[in-house]
Amino acid sequence: MQIIQPHFHGIARTTQDYQRMAMSGVVAVAEPAFWAGFDRLYPETFIDYFRQITEFEPIRASWFGIKHYAWVAVNPKEAENLKLAREVISQLPEFFRRPTVIGVGETGLHKSTPNECTIFEEQVELAIQHDQLLLVHTPHLEDKLRGTKRILEILRGLPVNPDRVWIDHVEEHTIRMVKDAGYWVGFTLYPVTKCSPRRAVDMVERYGWERTLINSSADWGPSDPFTLHECILEFRRRGHSLQEAIELFHNNPARFLGQNPKFEIRPISVQVHSVEPAVAWTG
């Protein structure tokens, strides 16, 4: 089965991860700009980071036949310094012209401070101005509901096309409001602070898989790119067909990301003789 990993921080992973993902069916990854674990002090530090995810990571992924795409943005965890953030944002259009950059992300909110909201709004406006896809980070744990409501409020005040906006890290208490607003939703399979494979499949079964993306968001923290494969296994274990799995774990990201013509992978269809999983078991 071919799989697209739509949110993956390859810069923080080993080359062996790429190799194992390729052996497990991953054909493409998309890497959003993220927090390095500490606040960067200089615009040049961001620029060199963007260069790494747009120049070297595509090469590293290509060693194993995986297509690598990237997003660029100021992550909300580094949005408090308005002067620094704006200096970085002013240089983002240079990267929009690069062959593997597909949008602005991940932007969004962390603590929903006034400065974070300002930088989020300015990056949304930049994405609109340059016709870029938008990947939005929602806060962790107890701040998620408040932050998600604030994100939706900001987006309502801007001329965004919901078809081109992916709001990530949704959970049971935020999915309905995001879906009702017409945006793409993302489930992030990440220990402690986000979602488990079982919970993700529960939400898929309750709310459907239209406009839904599932990702591991594997980075430098306690994470694993293969939580995505665990989710596929759980999805199939519950009796969903191979074609349904392809729709959710390959075709949906191909549809969303493919709105940028740089993303060359298209939805696929397979002919199967049975909709039952190859192996049946309970657990």
Side-chain angles (χ1 to χ4, degrees), residues 159-166 181-184 211 256 259:
V160 296
N161 177 357
D163 292 342
R164 297 176 63 80
V165 179
W166 160 18
Y183 300 106
W184 284 73
R211 292 177 177 251
F256 178 78
Q259 293 179 90

Side-chain angles (χ1 to χ4, degrees), residues 25-271:
V26 173
V27 295
V29 299
E31 178 155 0
F34 81 131
W35 186 54
F38 62 94
D39 292 347
R40 286 165 275 214
L41 300 178
Y42 313 104
E44 294 81 7
T45 313
F46 286 85
I47 300 310
D48 281 342
Y49 166 56
F50 297 155
R51 287 184 56 226
Q52 183 169 0
I53 63 175
T54 59
E55 294 176 16
F56 179 61
E57 283 304 313
I59 294 173
R60 199 159 69 109
S62 73
W63 294 340
F64 307 100
I66 294 175
K67 295 285 291 183
H68 180 285
Y69 297 89
W71 306 73
V72 290
V74 175
N75 189 282
K77 288 188 176 182
E78 294 178 279
E80 276 304 304
N81 186 331
L82 292 177
K83 181 177 183 296
L84 175 62
R86 283 170 171 157
E87 288 182 26
V88 176
I89 291 170
S90 71
Q91 298 187 60
L92 294 184
E94 172 192 340
F95 288 91
F96 297 157
R97 294 188 286 270
R98 298 206 171 192
T100 60
V101 172
I102 54 177
V104 175
E106 51 189 301
T107 181
L109 300 180
H110 173 50
K111 295 183 179 179
S112 304
T113 65
N115 284 0
E116 284 182 21
C117 292
T118 295
I119 293 303
F120 171 54
E121 184 169 344
E122 290 180 8
Q123 291 191 95
V124 174
E125 290 172 340
L126 187 72
I128 296 169
Q129 178 185 349
H130 291 271
D131 195 27
Q132 297 294 305
L133 297 177
L134 187 66
L135 168 54
V136 181
H137 167 97
T138 57
H140 298 246
L141 301 175
E142 66 273 4
D143 290 324
K144 184 172 293 293
L145 181 60
R146 179 172 67 96
T148 302
K149 288 179 177 178
R150 184 71 181 108
I151 285 166
L152 294 177
E153 180 181 275
I154 291 170
L155 291 175
R156 277 196 299 271
L158 297 167
V160 296
N161 177 357
D163 292 342
R164 297 176 63 80
V165 179
W166 160 18
I167 298 181
D168 208 7
H169 319 321
V170 302
E171 295 182 11
E172 291 86 348
H173 58 308
T174 58
I175 182 173
R176 174 51 69 192
M177 66 180 72
V178 175
K179 272 191 167 282
D180 285 350
Y183 300 106
W184 284 73
V185 302
F187 303 141
T188 300
L189 310 171
Y190 198 96
V192 184
T193 60
K194 297 185 178 73
C195 186
S196 71
R198 284 194 174 192
R199 286 171 57 202
V201 177
D202 286 344
M203 284 187 279
V204 166
E205 291 184 332
R206 180 172 181 181
Y207 296 100
W209 58 73
E210 295 78 11
R211 292 177 177 251
T212 298
L213 304 169
I214 301 181
N215 65 86
S216 73
S217 187
D219 57 20
W220 46 259
S223 55
D224 183 353
F226 292 93
T227 53
L228 185 60
H229 296 73
E230 291 177 25
C231 192
I232 295 170
L233 196 62
E234 176 68 16
F235 187 73
R236 294 283 278 131
R237 185 190 69 81
R238 299 192 191 185
H240 296 284
S241 70
L242 176 60
Q243 183 62 51
E244 289 172 326
I246 290 171
E247 288 295 320
L248 179 55
F249 296 97
H250 180 278
N251 290 352
N252 271 4
R255 291 182 183 107
F256 178 78
L257 301 174
Q259 293 179 90
N260 187 315
K262 297 177 188 176
F263 192 88
E264 299 172 345
I265 298 172
R266 296 293 175 255
I268 57 177
S269 177
V270 298
Q271 297 297 322

